[in-house]
Amino acid sequence: MSKRIVEAYTGEYAGGKSENALNRALALARLGRKVTLVDLDIVEPVYTLRPIQEELKALGVNVIAWKTRETVGLGEAGTTLKPGARWALRHEGDIILDIGYGVEGTRTLNLLEGAGTDPDLQVIAVINTSRPMTAGVGDIIEHVGELGRVDALLNNTHLSDETTAELVQEGARVVTEAARRLGLPVAATAAVAGIAEEIGPVDCMGNPVRVLTRFMQKAFW
Amino acid sequence: MSKKIVEQDKRAFMTGNEVVAWAALAADADIMYGYPITPQNEIMHYWTRLAPKYNKNFLQTEDELSAGFTTIGGVMAGRKSFTATAGPGNTLMQEPMSMAEMMRLPTVVIVQQRGGPSTATVIYSQQEVTMTTIGGNGEGMRIVYSTSSHQELYDYTIKAFNTAWKYRFPTFVLGDGYQAKMREPLTLYDPESRGIELIPSQPFVGAEGVPGKDRPPAHFRNTYSMEEELYEILTDALQVYEKISPEVAEYQSSGIEDAELVIVGHGIVFRAIRAAVEAMREKGMRVGYFRPVTLRPLPVPQIKELMSSNKPILMVESSQGQLTRLFKEAAYGSTSEMHTLFKPGVGITAEEVEAAAREILK
């Protein structure tokens, strides 16, 4: 088995962090790899992956996330880290971190033991150019600058059910240009099945294409 | 001078809270006053991110009472002002908004309903209908738009500012936690490109000229010494409200003429109703829907007509009948048989609506 994969997904609220993180975890699990998916949302820890935890576990992914019954008294939120998440990087195998939204951006990773020194950690900013806050090259550069450490961008441009291959390709052009100016690579372009096949194994900018299955529609927020 | 928010129509993917922030910018709002409460927080978050880029302002107050009163202050100073709240925050907001009602001030409030009573859940409900339409002490001289999609959140937030400044009654956009947090595409546009003329704001205090000489003195009161004084003011305001109601009221309906059952609901629940009606129509079942877009004032003549048609009605709400109470008042004396599907604080699916409708049609 090739070297361990450690990836943290960050980016705009509703930009597609969780969807891309859990799809990445499932894709790695399908390859027979041992994968741990960690929910690091400290703003709304009760909600993000809660309803689909069991489904993900059944698909072969180890999930570290709060369950509602474990957080009685927190109410809606509460800035809290599940103790297991703190030690997530010590797990064997691949580790996929879903960094929740909030002003701290990737600085949330400071809460994890070993995050500063993990040689394999890659922080990936998920970008949807259909979101006005990250629509243009300048917007993306400004946004990524606010996130803290970012090692790569991921083009997740879509318009829900109205997504076309052309829209995703246009997103790829914008995200790749922003990445070039930031001196960062583009980890991938992500698109749902159907659109992904239409685009092919690489997008118009030569970035690898990942096929997404939408799970987050079943989740909260 | 602030730059144009949206140069040309753009299809965008956002959460409902973000949509409200963008719509307020498009409506040329000047300032938001706010106090955090889920599920409306991102309205504040996005407004505060966008505001510096467009020369707009924001004030975080110490609570919702303060947010409401400072919104009134902003309006009196001639600024297009708004606030956003939910649940127990909306409860506190009733005090300042009844003041705006008394003083006839064009405040705009976005409400993203959450579960109640009290703190309950942060997630969703339609349990703030009574409070938003006729809350506070007073006569409910307000305008309340109940939206059902991100496009409508954009359209009606823009419209709310114009409605408020045109008629000078407190205006509310009534969304909910689902609309606040869910994501779907919508078209952002410049209102003027659609022929929507943004009504300019004007100061209520500190206007130019000498009071009593160049202009009438600005005298805005929420306190009166004698009943007769109050009665005169209220009678006038109520007459104005009654006069404008037919032009303000909005509704949407389909398939009512040949329907054997009409399903009624508002807001996000309307989407489940519409989906259920479409599914049942495809199967050859004669059902229709009626949806009030304004919950205050209600489209009263249309409701009276509907409820006098002798067609059975199914009221569907994520509350224990808050819209139904308003409907009954509007339809007093009519004879339609009324059925209900109430799930306070919980979402309702098209399948549930269809099952309830089939039960009635059996």
Side-chain angles (χ1 to χ4, degrees):
Chain A
M1 190 171 282
S2 59
K3 104 185 196 357
R4 80 198 253 271
I5 291 168
V6 182
E7 292 173 347
Y9 289 81
T10 187
E12 261 275 294
Y13 182 57
K17 300 178 294 290
S18 300
E19 197 74 275
N20 276 279
L22 71 88
N23 267 277
R24 178 63 162 160
L26 289 171
L28 293 170
R30 276 196 298 272
L31 296 173
R33 300 174 70 103
K34 189 178 167 66
V35 188
T36 301
L37 174 66
V38 190
D39 184 349
L40 284 180
D41 192 330
I42 57 169
V43 179
E44 288 166 341
V46 180
Y47 295 115
T48 319
L49 291 176
R50 184 185 67 182
I52 52 176
Q53 262 190 66
E54 295 308 319
E55 190 178 352
L56 294 173
K57 283 181 181 167
L59 291 167
V61 174
N62 177 34
V63 182
I64 300 178
W66 284 111
K67 289 198 173 83
T68 304
R69 67 172 177 273
E70 299 170 332
T71 59
V72 170
L74 278 178
E76 66 199 73
T79 306
T80 181
L81 187 71
K82 193 175 165 84
R86 178 177 166 187
W87 304 98
L89 293 173
R90 305 285 172 89
H91 279 255
E92 206 182 300
D94 299 334
I95 298 151
I96 304 298
L97 306 158
D98 174 14
I99 305 180
Y101 87 102
V103 292
E104 293 303 320
T106 61
R107 284 173 286 274
T108 300
L109 287 172
N110 293 343
L111 299 168
L112 266 61
E113 293 291 330
T117 52
D118 193 300
D120 301 321
L121 177 64
Q122 286 283 303
V123 180
I124 299 169
V126 180
I127 310 288
N128 177 358
T129 62
S130 296
R131 294 180 48 73
M133 290 301 228
T134 51
V137 172
D139 302 319
I140 296 168
I141 291 169
E142 186 186 335
H143 165 63
V144 171
E146 288 164 359
L147 289 174
R149 174 183 167 181
V150 172
D151 302 311
L153 305 188
L154 187 148
N155 170 38
N156 185 47
T157 298
H158 73 90
L159 264 177
S160 191
D161 297 339
E162 298 172 16
T163 310
T164 61
E166 195 186 333
L167 180 91
V168 178
Q169 296 280 31
E170 182 50 36
R173 278 186 277 272
V174 174
V175 171
T176 307
E177 176 57 20
R180 189 186 67 78
R181 293 200 206 169
L182 286 161
L184 297 173
V186 177
T189 273
V192 290
I195 303 283
E197 281 81 41
E198 201 181 326
I199 296 170
V202 292
D203 67 21
C204 63
M205 302 303 288
N207 306 307
V209 173
R210 290 184 188 171
V211 186
L212 288 180
T213 304
R214 292 174 72 184
F215 282 86
M216 290 302 290
Q217 282 169 312
K218 291 175 256 174
F220 269 136
W221 302 356
Chain B
M1 201 47 218
S2 56
K3 51 189 163 176
K4 270 249 187 278
I5 311 303
V6 184
E7 297 286 350
Q8 54 185 30
D9 286 15
K10 184 178 163 46
R11 206 76 185 139
F13 183 77
M14 288 197 254
T15 65
N17 281 334
E18 284 177 82
V19 171
V20 170
W22 282 93
L25 278 175
D28 205 19
D30 297 298
I31 182 164
M32 177 181 185
Y33 302 87
Y35 183 77
I37 188 165
T38 310
Q40 72 80 26
N41 287 323
E42 293 85 19
I43 298 177
M44 289 170 53
H45 295 169
Y46 279 87
W47 177 263
T48 51
R49 281 171 71 178
L50 292 164
K53 295 182 184 172
Y54 297 97
N55 285 324
K56 305 296 185 182
N57 287 297
F58 174 76
L59 180 70
Q60 181 169 330
T61 56
E62 65 266 40
D63 57 24
E64 287 86 350
L65 283 168
S66 215
F69 283 118
T70 46
T71 301
I72 287 174
V75 164
M76 295 191 88
R79 304 293 189 275
K80 283 193 184 173
S81 311
F82 74 108
T83 186
T85 192
N90 194 8
T91 305
L92 293 176
M93 202 61 78
Q94 295 311 310
E95 163 70 4
M97 288 310 116
S98 65
M99 184 188 194
E101 211 176 300
M102 182 79 256
M103 294 172 143
R104 298 275 316 272
L105 295 174
T107 50
V108 172
V109 181
I110 316 298
V111 177
Q112 301 285 33
Q113 298 167 93
R114 55 185 269 169
S118 188
T119 307
T121 76
V122 299
I123 299 174
Y124 162 81
S125 84
Q126 294 190 315
Q127 297 173 286
E128 298 176 48
V129 170
T130 305
M131 179 158 66
T132 308
T133 54
I134 48 176
N137 60 332
E139 302 296 342
M141 293 182 290
R142 300 148 171 225
I143 292 153
V144 180
Y145 295 111
S146 170
T147 58
S148 72
S149 68
H150 284 12
Q151 192 63 59
E152 288 184 358
L153 272 176
Y154 190 77
D155 298 346
Y156 283 101
T157 299
I158 292 169
K159 191 171 199 171
F161 284 96
N162 263 3
T163 302
W165 283 85
K166 182 175 180 186
Y167 300 113
R168 289 179 51 193
F169 288 109
T171 303
F172 298 76
V173 176
L174 187 66
D176 58 66
Y178 285 173
Q179 294 184 65
K181 295 281 193 172
M182 74 183 192
R183 297 105 211 248
E184 66 180 3
L186 77 154
T187 300
L188 303 178
Y189 55 83
D190 171 18
E192 279 163 358
S193 75
R194 301 282 173 101
I196 301 166
E197 196 186 323
L198 297 178
I199 296 173
S201 58
Q202 56 185 30
F204 291 85
V205 292
E208 289 202 3
V210 179
K213 191 170 152 225
D214 305 322
R215 59 174 172 85
H219 197 197
F220 293 88
R221 300 171 65 187
N222 68 331
T223 310
Y224 295 88
S225 308
M226 303 302 291
E227 309 107 288
E228 291 81 3
E229 276 184 289
L230 172 67
Y231 183 64
E232 193 186 323
I233 298 289
L234 273 184
T235 302
D236 177 56
L238 285 162
Q239 268 172 6
V240 174
Y241 188 82
E242 198 171 329
K243 185 166 159 282
I244 68 158
S245 289
E247 62 187 81
V248 171
E250 292 182 34
Y251 69 99
Q252 192 181 345
S253 66
S254 174
I256 289 181
E257 265 175 35
D258 70 337
E260 290 168 356
L261 174 70
V262 179
I263 310 177
V264 178
H266 73 99
I268 195 103
V269 169
F270 162 66
R271 283 170 73 157
I273 293 171
R274 184 175 53 194
V277 166
E278 283 168 4
M280 292 173 82
R281 278 275 169 187
E282 267 178 31
K283 293 167 198 154
M285 301 170 86
R286 294 197 303 195
V287 288
Y289 63 72
F290 183 90
R291 169 218 178 182
V293 176
T294 48
L295 304 190
R296 187 82 186 161
L298 278 172
V300 174
Q302 290 79 14
I303 292 171
K304 278 193 194 300
E305 191 190 332
L306 171 71
M307 303 290 274
S308 307
S309 61
N310 280 330
K311 295 175 194 292
I313 306 290
L314 171 61
M315 302 291 299
V316 185
E317 293 186 62
S318 289
S319 82
Q320 195 64 19
Q322 298 197 9
L323 176 67
T324 301
R325 278 203 288 274
L326 300 175
F327 251 66
K328 284 178 183 166
E329 188 207 356
Y332 178 71
S334 62
T335 48
S336 279
E337 180 185 312
M338 194 186 259
H339 303 265
T340 61
L341 172 59
F342 297 155
K343 293 185 77 179
V346 183
I348 298 172
T349 64
E351 291 75 18
E352 289 172 300
V353 175
E354 185 173 339
R358 281 171 176 275
E359 193 62 34
I360 298 161
L361 290 171
K362 250 199 237 172

